[in-house]
Amino acid sequence: MQETRNLIGWKLRQLRRERGLSQEQLAAKIQIQGYDIGALAILRIERGTRTVKDVELQEICRYFQISAAELLGF
């Protein structure tokens, strides 16, 4: 089993699916906010194979209107 490289992957997938968004749609919505992230990055974050930059964490939280602590599961 592969070691996860982030703590938010499972929660990000859950939030995205609850809103009925594809990875491509979520990436596009975050891009509209002004941060360039692609669907492949979302996929890798969800799978836990990619680390998350602090600015990405901020933009994901801003889109979903949740705190970083909530996204991180604290």
Side-chain angles (χ1 to χ4, degrees):
M1 185 171 181
Q2 186 175 11
E3 178 181 327
T4 187
R5 299 185 79 184
N6 68 63
L7 298 173
I8 71 165
W10 67 272
K11 182 70 172 176
L12 178 58
R13 177 177 285 153
Q14 177 186 20
L15 290 167
R16 178 180 59 77
R17 287 181 173 174
E18 284 174 359
R19 286 159 180 78
L21 298 172
S22 68
Q23 292 161 338
E24 292 82 6
Q25 291 169 322
L26 176 58
K29 291 187 180 291
I30 293 172
Q31 289 170 4
I32 289 170
Q33 293 179 170
Y35 185 75
D36 188 20
I37 190 169
L40 184 57
I42 300 292
L43 170 71
R44 289 178 176 163
I45 291 168
E46 288 183 357
R47 287 188 177 169
T49 59
R50 181 181 181 280
T51 58
V52 181
K53 298 174 186 173
D54 55 357
V55 69
E56 291 171 339
L57 181 67
Q58 175 183 317
E59 293 303 320
I60 291 167
C61 289
R62 187 167 74 131
Y63 173 74
F64 288 112
Q65 298 181 346
I66 60 174
S67 70
E70 186 177 349
L71 187 58
L72 290 164
F74 296 141

